[in-house]
Amino acid sequence: MHLNLPVDNLHCAGCVRRLENSLEDTGASEISVDLAGKRVDLEWPSDRAIPDLVRHLDQAGFPVQRQERVIGIEGMHCASCVSRVEAALDSLPGVTSASVNLATAEARVEYVDGAVSTSDLRSAVEQAGYAAEISEQGHEGGQEQRRAAETRTLKRRFGLALALTLPVFVLEMGSHFIPPLHHWLHSTLGTFPLHLLLFVLTSLVLFGPGLMFFRVGVPNLLRGHPDMNSLVALGTGSAWAYSVVATFAPGVMPEGTANVYYEPAAVIVTLILLGRLLEARAKSRTGTAIERLLGLQARTARVERDGRVIELAVEELHRGDRITIRPGETVPVDGRVIDGQSRVDESMLTGEPDPVRRSSGDKVVGGTVNQNGRLIIEATDLGSDAVLAQIVRMVQKAQGAKLPIQALVDRVTAWFVPVVMAVAAITALVWLIFGPQPALSFALVNAVAVLIIACPCAMGLATPTSIMVGTGRGAEQGILFRGGDALQQLRSVRIVAVDKTGTLTEGRPEVTAIHSLGEMTENRLLALGAAAEQDSEHPLARAVTAAAEQRGLDLERAEDFRSESGKGISARISGQTVLLGTRAWLDASGVNTEACAAAVDEFSSKARTPVIVAVDGKLAGVLGIADPIKKSSLSAIQTLHELGLQVAMISGDRRRTAQAIADELGIDIVIAEVLPDGKVEAVRELRETHGRIAFVGDGINDAPALAEADVGIAIGTGTDVAIESADVVLMAGDLDKVPTAISLSRATLRNIRQNLFWAFAYNTALIPVAAGVLYPVFGLLLSPMLAAAAMAFSSLFVVGNALRLKRVRLGAAAA
């Protein structure tokens, strides 16, 4: 097999040689590397899978460039359909993975860039017996349009089927329950004209609204890949064909068996159409989170062009445009505030109800709502680069993901429909041989009941519907799952490790205490310290100057500024020599610091860094500087404890400082004095000791630990590198979303288990009942019409149970 693959990380002749060497051991031949075009040309053994080659190149450090495309699939109705479409797409050379979601009716395909065309993808889906809708513009909104079209079509088909079936039902059931009606019909119309009328009406039902079952089911049956449509087509078609023979050629049938079963055939089709209509409406509710996010987008914006403000469609905006946003208006695009100040409702982004103050220099996100002031922003990120677009893509990807638990369902559904057909055949045979007279009628009724009651739909919907609702609920709370694995693994986490700076704390030091000595006031002490520090870039120096600004203190000019790294600074302020630094450094500078010993110890015990101030060689006071703990940290850790989890803190601070914070927050385990590259080892040690671990961080130096943990959780206010390394992203900057995410994961997996139990228990229990196992003991048989109603209810139960996740309690309420 000849392949030409685009690869990354080809920079020099050494890279070329390394790539060639790595491929020589794989079985590839005729290897040629194009350094300029960054491509590798080779012959690959036809009996080897292309994904094996792609994985090898990834591990060798030359990742293959891939593309991902989402395909709308029409005609899927059960888990067997999902398996067949996935197999068809996976068989295409160049496809590295294909995941099909029954709930969204979409396939997400990843393939080698340039190796697969859209026509190849469409052909593969169509050859499997389904229709493919491939949009070049992405699929935001496409899913909603497909659902709306499906609902309209099903509503029209059900209405027509109901209108045609009602006369059949009244004529047949009325005859059974009202003897005078039976006698009147047969004496007035006669048996043959009555059966002829039932034949016409039922044929219109089966080959009008019910034609969809035959159009999809029969070809799949002939291909040797039967699905739910095949079961319905076979069951109703058998009842109809039997009735046709009984109507037009009763003489060829054994005596006493020329009965007609038009009514079950028509009613089954109508009930299944009703079930699908209700299911489509229920499924549309599972995706409301995406619709709500898309609905946040503004359609127009007020833009400054040529000295005047005009209203333009958002699609016409460019980076750098100056956009005016009035109170109450939606922010149209991501941007940076260049004028004005206001409070902005960012609840759509973070899940937090309180508006956030935004002023010049701050970032704003498209889709948020300006509250009470006018803002002028400069557009920065548009279209697919915007935060809202990225959130939508992340949620859609998570909703289309397959959890590891789905592997069991896939294995079962691969043989489910053929087994059901075999059971139906055995049922018919057993009734023909051992059943009472008319045995042929009993055989037909019970075989049809087996075919109709079997419900692979419930199995196929059990997992994806719960994932859709769960991830949608998470998005509403500002919790974004980047994949299905994270949703499942977060449930089994035993310990949560948290980075201190920026996660537990605000990440910016502040002066939290001032201890002045002698006659010097707090303001004068702070003013002198800030004046001396105003030329320093040290984080502690910025904390001192910021505190002076907050108090409105005037800073005098500093002269002869000197700094000694890690020790302190000195400067002359209005003729006075001011020193700020550690106690050891001031002692070495000849300052007697005994008078502040108690204050220094007190500050250190409360996780505050003491900065001692001396003026003209005499002790003036102590400034206590700390990184303030976030208001949400204490409640978040308490909730994690209530959920039965241990909490560990990983910090680069001195043990005494780290322990002080841990004691204040009730943290169980403290790992202090950890260098940035030591966080990975700390995560490994915690996993070995306590089991599955989640790590929460926000900085660039947290990225390796986020990747190492079983589940990496990034604070959304952190760096892009941290977010890209994480499995879960919290859009808010607070820790209280961590227990919410964990409880949501537990609730979603619990919901999936309930759905799977129902789907498997339903089929395990009712297929034997439909076959007639209760007849010898109790004389009970299951009507094919009741079987159709039960099958429709099974799917509705699964979707309805998934929708309960919209109301489940999360976080502290779930503990």
Side-chain angles (χ1 to χ4, degrees):
M1 185 191 310
H2 180 263
L3 296 175
N4 187 276
L5 306 176
V7 294
D8 289 329
N9 296 342
L10 274 178
H11 304 296
C12 63
C15 300
V16 171
R17 186 60 193 152
R18 264 199 342 273
L19 176 55
E20 290 174 340
N21 290 339
S22 71
L23 287 171
E24 286 173 357
D25 300 330
T26 63
S29 59
E30 300 182 28
I31 303 165
S32 174
V33 180
D34 177 7
L35 177 60
K38 296 186 183 299
R39 305 183 75 88
V40 58
D41 195 90
L42 53 85
E43 290 293 328
W44 184 248
S46 56
D47 59 341
R48 296 277 303 279
I50 292 178
D52 293 343
L53 173 61
V54 172
R55 279 193 295 272
H56 175 82
L57 290 170
D58 288 348
Q59 292 168 1
F62 300 98
V64 175
Q65 295 173 16
R66 301 171 177 81
Q67 282 193 354
E68 187 176 78
R69 189 173 289 277
V70 176
I71 308 171
I73 311 292
E74 295 179 13
M76 291 195 306
H77 298 289
C78 67
S80 299
C81 306
V82 170
S83 301
R84 192 153 44 257
V85 175
E86 282 184 349
L89 291 169
D90 276 326
S91 67
L92 289 175
V95 170
T96 56
S97 69
S99 176
V100 178
N101 188 300
L102 179 61
T104 60
E106 290 179 340
R108 189 175 292 272
V109 187
E110 184 183 77
Y111 55 91
V112 176
D113 189 11
V116 180
S117 66
T118 55
S119 61
D120 294 334
L121 296 172
R122 182 178 285 106
S123 297
V125 173
E126 290 173 349
Q127 286 172 13
Y130 304 90
E133 179 185 328
I134 304 178
S135 172
E136 299 296 330
Q137 302 300 321
H139 68 301
E140 288 86 348
Q143 186 185 118
E144 183 183 351
Q145 292 170 6
R146 283 196 302 275
R147 280 182 177 155
E150 179 189 15
T151 302
R152 286 194 302 270
T153 301
L154 286 171
K155 188 175 180 180
R156 187 169 58 251
R157 285 177 174 166
F158 169 69
L160 179 57
L162 182 63
L164 293 169
T165 300
L166 275 176
V168 177
F169 183 78
V170 170
L171 290 172
E172 279 288 278
M173 292 303 289
S175 296
H176 288 305
F177 290 102
I178 307 173
L181 177 62
H182 172 79
H183 295 306
W184 180 80
L185 287 171
H186 283 270
S187 62
T188 305
L189 291 178
T191 301
F192 179 74
L194 178 62
H195 288 178
L196 187 61
L197 175 61
L198 295 176
F199 161 74
V200 172
L201 291 172
T202 303
S203 299
L204 289 173
V205 173
L206 263 63
F207 304 109
L211 185 61
M212 57 184 286
F213 301 115
F214 293 87
R215 186 176 287 152
V216 177
V218 172
N220 285 338
L221 186 62
L222 296 176
R223 291 189 190 101
H225 300 295
D227 62 356
M228 181 196 159
N229 295 291
S230 305
L231 297 180
V232 175
L234 196 58
T236 58
S238 299
W240 177 83
Y242 185 98
S243 302
V244 169
V245 174
T247 299
F248 297 101
V252 304
M253 305 181 74
E255 187 177 350
T257 62
N259 303 310
V260 294
Y261 295 97
Y262 291 119
E263 177 205 10
V267 171
I268 285 169
V269 167
T270 303
L271 285 175
I272 293 175
L273 286 172
L274 172 62
R276 288 199 177 173
L277 174 60
L278 296 175
E279 181 186 316
R281 286 178 171 174
K283 282 197 295 186
S284 68
R285 291 173 57 200
T286 66
T288 52
I290 293 290
E291 295 170 20
R292 192 176 293 115
L293 286 172
L294 292 172
L296 294 170
Q297 296 174 323
R299 299 288 178 263
T300 60
R302 293 165 52 80
V303 189
E304 292 184 16
R305 292 278 174 89
D306 301 325
R308 59 195 183 95
V309 176
I310 59 174
E311 194 165 295
L312 292 177
V314 170
E315 293 78 11
E316 298 180 46
L317 299 180
H318 304 291
R319 278 190 177 85
D321 276 344
R322 290 169 59 94
I323 300 167
T324 301
I325 308 168
R326 294 174 295 194
E329 289 184 338
T330 298
V331 178
V333 294
D334 295 1
R336 181 176 55 84
V337 178
I338 55 178
D339 188 29
Q341 60 180 15
S342 179
R343 289 192 174 274
V344 178
D345 179 4
E346 298 182 348
S347 57
M348 53 71 63
L349 187 71
T350 64
E352 299 297 331
D354 296 331
V356 180
R357 184 180 181 82
R358 292 287 180 248
S359 57
S360 183
D362 293 333
K363 290 182 179 179
V364 290
V365 175
T368 57
V369 180
N370 183 28
Q371 294 276 294
N372 54 5
R374 193 192 72 152
L375 293 174
I376 297 178
I377 68 169
E378 179 184 342
T380 55
D381 295 306
L382 309 172
S384 61
D385 294 330
V387 169
L388 184 59
Q390 293 176 36
I391 290 173
V392 169
R393 283 199 302 272
M394 200 179 295
V395 174
Q396 286 173 330
K397 189 168 185 178
Q399 289 187 340
K402 280 199 172 185
L403 271 65
I405 197 173
Q406 182 70 22
L408 170 65
V409 181
D410 292 342
R411 286 197 298 271
V412 172
T413 54
W415 52 261
F416 180 79
V417 173
V419 166
V420 168
M421 294 179 66
V423 170
I426 293 170
T427 299
L429 188 62
V430 169
W431 278 95
L432 279 172
I433 297 173
F434 301 105
Q437 294 301 321
L440 185 59
S441 296
F442 278 108
L444 173 71
V445 170
N446 289 295
V448 169
V450 169
L451 291 170
I452 298 303
I453 204 165
C455 189
C457 305
M459 293 181 183
L461 291 170
T463 301
T465 50
S466 296
I467 293 174
M468 283 186 68
V469 180
T471 52
R473 178 78 186 277
E476 292 170 359
Q477 297 283 325
I479 302 166
L480 303 180
F481 294 91
R482 294 175 66 86
D485 284 357
L487 187 62
Q488 181 165 336
Q489 291 182 18
L490 195 57
R491 173 188 65 93
S492 55
V493 160
R494 293 290 171 265
I495 184 170
V496 178
V498 185
D499 173 59
K500 180 185 78 71
T501 305
T503 305
L504 286 170
T505 64
E506 296 289 353
R508 52 180 185 274
E510 295 178 4
V511 175
T512 57
I514 301 175
H515 179 77
S516 59
L517 298 171
E519 297 180 356
M520 185 169 290
T521 64
E522 286 188 3
N523 280 354
R524 181 56 183 166
L525 179 67
L526 182 59
L528 286 173
E533 294 274 27
Q534 61 187 319
D535 292 325
S536 174
E537 290 299 318
H538 193 280
L540 296 183
R542 289 200 294 270
V544 174
T545 54
E549 288 176 9
Q550 287 175 0
R551 295 196 180 197
L553 304 179
D554 294 328
L555 302 186
E556 300 169 66
R557 184 176 177 181
E559 299 175 341
D560 298 333
F561 174 82
R562 296 178 184 179
S563 172
E564 292 193 36
S565 181
K567 297 179 180 179
I569 61 106
S570 65
R572 287 188 62 79
I573 311 293
S574 299
Q576 294 179 300
T577 301
V578 179
L579 304 180
L580 282 86
T582 65
R583 184 179 179 186
W585 184 66
L586 265 72
D587 284 337
S589 301
V591 178
N592 184 355
T593 60
E594 284 298 323
C596 70
V600 169
D601 289 341
E602 180 188 354
F603 287 174
S604 297
S605 68
K606 294 181 179 179
R608 295 170 179 162
T609 300
V611 176
I612 302 173
V613 183
V615 179
D616 289 336
K618 295 182 179 180
L619 189 64
V622 186
L623 304 176
I625 301 178
D627 187 358
I629 295 172
K630 291 180 179 178
K631 294 177 181 178
S632 63
S633 294
L634 179 59
S635 62
I637 290 166
Q638 288 173 343
T639 306
L640 288 171
H641 285 149
E642 290 169 6
L643 291 172
L645 300 169
Q646 287 189 295
V647 182
M649 181 178 74
I650 300 176
S651 172
D653 288 344
R654 292 176 303 168
R655 172 156 291 278
R656 186 177 181 184
T657 302
Q659 191 63 54
I661 293 175
D663 291 342
E664 185 175 345
L665 294 175
I667 291 173
D668 307 298
I669 301 164
V670 178
I671 303 178
E673 301 178 22
V674 177
L675 297 174
D677 56 359
K679 291 182 180 179
V680 171
E681 186 59 35
V683 168
R684 288 175 184 159
E685 290 175 1
L686 288 169
R687 181 193 291 116
E688 291 174 4
T689 308
H690 301 280
R692 197 175 292 274
I693 182 172
F695 178 79
V696 188
D698 73 324
I700 291 176
N701 60 0
D702 293 328
L706 287 165
E708 174 64 29
D710 296 296
V711 181
I713 303 175
I715 301 293
T717 53
T719 63
D720 291 341
V721 175
I723 291 172
E724 285 299 318
S725 303
D727 304 298
V728 182
V729 179
L730 310 180
M731 298 308 294
D734 294 330
L735 200 64
D736 57 4
K737 294 298 181 183
V738 174
T740 303
I742 293 172
S743 58
L744 178 60
S745 169
R746 291 179 178 181
T748 303
L749 267 294
R750 185 166 56 248
N751 192 271
I752 288 172
R753 287 197 301 272
Q754 292 167 353
N755 282 347
L756 288 175
F757 173 80
W758 167 261
F760 283 102
Y762 163 88
N763 285 292
T764 304
L766 291 188
I767 288 177
V769 172
V773 295
L774 298 180
Y775 186 79
V777 180
F778 301 102
L780 295 176
L781 290 175
L782 185 66
S783 164
M785 292 183 289
L786 291 178
M791 188 267 284
F793 172 76
S794 179
S795 297
L796 288 174
F797 175 88
V798 166
V799 177
N801 188 50
L803 288 170
R804 290 193 312 112
L805 285 170
K806 288 190 172 187
R807 300 184 301 275
V808 73
R809 293 183 175 185
L810 301 176

